[in-house]
Amino acid sequence: MKIIVQKFGGTSVSTLEKRKNVIEKIKNSIEKGYKPVVVVSAMGRIGEPYATDTLLSLISEETKKNNKQATDLLMSCGEVISTCVMCSELNSYNIKSVPLTGGQGGIITDNNSGDAEVKELRPNRIFKYLEEGYVPVIAGFQGVSNEGIITTLGRGGSDTSAALIGKALKAEKIEIYTDVDGIMTADPRIVGNASLIEEISYAEVFQFADQGAKVIHPRAVEIAMESGIPLIIKNTVTDCEGTIINSLGCSKNKKLITGITHMKDRVQVTIKGDDNKGNDRYENILDIMAENYISIDLINVFTTEVIFTIGTEDLDKFINIMEKSQIKYIMIKKCSKIAIIGNKIRGVPGVMARIIRALKNENIQVLQTSDSHTTIWCLVRESETVKAINTLHKEFQMYK
Ligand code: ASP
Ligand code: MG
C-alpha cells in the first residue's frame, strides 16, 4: 500500500473556500495511486470560533494554570471539530472518509497534559480503514493516555502527529500544507529576490531556527529524520512544488549555500583577564552564567579573554551579576547573529574566506565568527544586518 500523510494547518482549513483546496490536494494524491491519511489542525487563528486560542479564551487563567487536564480537553475540541467538518465536505465530493480523534488514531501518550509525550502509536485502526477504502481524517495535536485522559502534544503539535503517523504507517512521504510556498533562501522581507529552497536536509532545517520553526515544528523534523521519511512543505492554495526535507538535502542543484537566516537582539560581551586580575570569579564566568540561567552562545575562550553573546532580554540581569561579582567587561549591544547554512560547506576550503571578503568589501565589520559542519555564523552590528544578508545572498548566488 502506497501511503501518503497529508497534514493541513489551521489557516488551510479555516474557510470553506480553502477547504476546497484541501480536497483538491487529497483528490490529487488518490489519483496518483496513494492512500492518503489526513491530519488536521483546529480551524483558523484566534478570533475565529474554533481556533485553539479562541477555545482557550473561554476558560480562566487559573484553570489554564491549575487544571491542565480540563485545558487539554477543551483544546482538543478544535481539532475534533476540524476532522468532522473535513469529513462532511469530503463526503459531498464522494470521497469516503472517517473522522478519528488522536486516541482513536492510536496515539498513546503519557499523562503530561499540555506537553504530552507520545509513548506508542497503534496504527491498526488506521490500517483497517485504509483497507476498507476510507480516507482517515485524524485530529492532530492530541492523544490519549493509557488511563483514558485526553492530552495535547504542545502548541504546534499537529505537525508532530503527522510525522508520528507517517512513521508508524511507513508512509512514502509526509506533506505539511500551510500558507507559504515553503522555506526560503532568506527572509523575503530582507532579501527582495530570495528564492524557494527546493530541497533541504533535516539537519539544515534545524539551523533555520525562526523561519524553519514557523513552517514546521522541529519535533516533526526529528521524527521524520529518525525514519528517513521525506517531509514536504507545501502551500494549500498554490501548485508550487514546495520544499522537500530529506537526508541529503539539495541534490538537484549544486549550490554551496542553502540559505541564510539571522537572530537579532544579541549582545557581545568581552571579559579580559588583564582587567580582572586577582578576581577569581573571572575564572568561573561560564559557571556564573549557567547558575543564573543566562544562555550564552558564540563562546570563545582564550588564555587572555573570554568572549560570548547573550540575548538582550538577559542584559539587565547580566549587568547586575557583573556588578555584584565585580567583573569588568566590554560589550557591544544590538548585534545580529547571521547563520549561513549549507550541507555542502563541510570540507570545502575557502568558504569562510569568501564570506569575510564579501562583507569586508561592503565595509561590514565582522565582530565574531563560529562554524559547524553545516553552518557558519557571523556576528555583525544589527544596523548592518540587512546589508550583510543581501551581500552574502548575492555572493553565493542564491537568488532565483
Ligand atoms: N491547533 C494547535 C495549535 O494551535 C496545534 C497545531 O495547530 O499544530 O497549537
Ligand atoms: Mg503549525
Side-chain angles (χ1 to χ4, degrees):
M1 211 184 310
K2 226 167 76 155
I3 296 172
I4 183 171
V5 174
Q6 296 183 292
K7 181 257 165 180
F8 297 93
T11 51
S12 305
V13 291
S14 59
T15 64
L16 181 66
E17 215 41 52
K18 290 201 180 142
R19 289 193 297 274
K20 280 188 188 151
N21 291 306
V22 169
I23 292 175
E24 232 14 76
K25 305 289 177 191
I26 298 172
K27 256 170 65 186
N28 279 346
S29 55
I30 297 174
E31 277 157 17
K32 284 186 189 142
Y34 285 104
K35 293 255 184 200
V37 174
V38 175
V39 176
V40 288
S41 287
M43 291 166 9
R45 294 271 177 267
I46 187 150
E48 293 173 78
Y50 311 111
T52 309
D53 287 301
T54 311
L55 297 174
L56 276 174
S57 71
L58 298 172
I59 55 174
S60 69
E61 290 305 317
E62 209 275 323
T63 308
K64 278 181 234 172
K65 198 165 151 218
N66 297 322
N67 194 342
K68 299 248 191 266
Q69 193 175 320
T71 309
D72 265 13
L73 187 55
L74 174 67
M75 280 199 287
S76 72
C77 298
E79 271 70 12
V80 172
I81 292 171
S82 196
T83 52
C84 299
V85 170
M86 213 55 250
C87 282
S88 154
E89 289 167 15
L90 280 165
N91 264 341
S92 62
Y93 281 79
N94 290 323
I95 299 174
K96 267 196 337 183
S97 65
V98 54
L100 298 170
T101 64
Q104 289 170 331
I107 299 183
I108 312 299
T109 71
D110 60 14
N111 278 322
N112 186 21
S113 302
D115 195 19
E117 195 182 317
V118 176
K119 292 282 161 204
E120 202 192 327
L121 218 137
R122 302 177 186 152
N124 340 24
R125 194 179 265 127
I126 303 180
F127 271 128
K128 179 182 144 274
Y129 282 122
L130 286 176
E131 269 156 15
E132 290 170 2
Y134 287 90
V135 175
V137 182
I138 303 158
F141 175 53
Q142 55 174 267
V144 67
S145 74
N146 275 321
E147 286 77 31
I149 294 169
I150 304 232
T151 54
T152 64
L153 311 181
R155 296 304 304 270
S158 296
D159 292 344
T160 310
S161 308
L164 284 162
I165 290 167
K167 182 178 171 186
L169 300 175
K170 299 197 168 55
E172 200 177 290
K173 51 188 172 179
I174 302 163
E175 292 180 339
I176 305 281
Y177 283 92
T178 178
D179 52 2
V180 293
D181 281 343
I183 304 177
M184 307 290 287
T185 52
D187 183 337
R189 285 166 306 182
I190 294 182
V191 180
N193 60 358
S195 56
L196 182 75
I197 299 173
E198 289 175 22
E199 234 183 323
I200 185 170
S201 71
Y202 303 112
E204 286 171 316
V205 175
F206 293 124
Q207 304 293 338
F208 266 80
D210 277 9
Q211 211 210 128
K214 237 178 263 160
V215 294
I216 186 156
H217 197 294
R219 181 78 193 104
V221 182
E222 241 169 57
I223 296 163
M225 183 164 78
E226 280 159 22
S227 43
I229 302 177
L231 278 168
I232 303 143
I233 315 281
K234 286 188 154 199
N235 193 333
T236 319
V237 298
T238 68
D239 285 326
C240 178
E241 288 294 313
T243 300
I244 302 173
I245 310 172
N246 57 22
S247 356
L248 289 179
C250 186
S251 57
K252 282 186 195 153
N253 65 43
K254 297 282 170 266
K255 280 190 186 161
L256 193 58
I257 304 296
T258 309
I260 304 179
T261 165
H262 79 285
M263 193 194 273
K264 51 181 194 172
D265 286 323
R266 306 303 299 168
V267 179
Q268 188 194 40
V269 178
T270 304
I271 309 179
K272 294 184 188 285
D274 274 355
D275 294 344
N276 291 286
K277 273 196 186 124
N279 183 353
D280 56 4
R281 270 158 300 197
Y282 164 73
E283 304 292 335
N284 303 322
I285 180 71
L286 299 183
D287 291 321
I288 297 175
M289 293 296 106
E291 282 155 17
N292 288 284
Y293 300 103
I294 295 183
S295 155
I296 59 177
D297 67 359
L298 289 181
I299 308 152
N300 292 136
V301 180
F302 303 102
T303 46
T304 52
E305 60 188 9
V306 178
I307 306 177
F308 53 81
T309 69
I310 61 171
T312 301
E313 70 279 7
D314 287 327
L315 187 55
D316 290 343
K317 192 158 125 189
F318 173 79
I319 293 174
N320 250 322
I321 297 162
M322 291 300 102
E323 264 168 26
K324 268 194 212 132
S325 321
Q326 297 189 324
I327 295 176
K328 295 205 175 68
Y329 60 92
I330 309 165
M331 64 178 167
I332 302 178
K333 292 188 203 170
K334 286 197 167 296
C335 295
S336 268
K337 184 177 139 188
I338 297 178
I340 301 116
I341 304 155
N343 237 353
K344 297 202 186 74
I345 62 175
R346 187 178 198 154
V348 177
V351 182
M352 182 69 101
R354 244 175 106 179
I355 292 172
I356 302 291
R357 195 185 324 114
L359 294 176
K360 207 170 161 193
N361 285 344
E362 293 297 321
N363 293 321
I364 298 164
Q365 193 186 4
V366 179
L367 303 169
Q368 208 179 332
T369 64
S370 180
D371 62 282
S372 75
H373 286 323
T374 52
T375 307
I376 290 176
W377 292 274
C378 290
L379 193 71
V380 301
R381 286 192 171 73
E382 211 166 280
S383 55
E384 298 192 310
T385 313
V386 172
K387 197 171 160 198
I389 296 178
N390 274 285
T391 301
L392 296 171
H393 198 269
K394 195 168 155 208
E395 170 68 25
F396 290 98
Q397 300 175 353
M398 296 160 70
Y399 36 78
K400 279 169 217 152

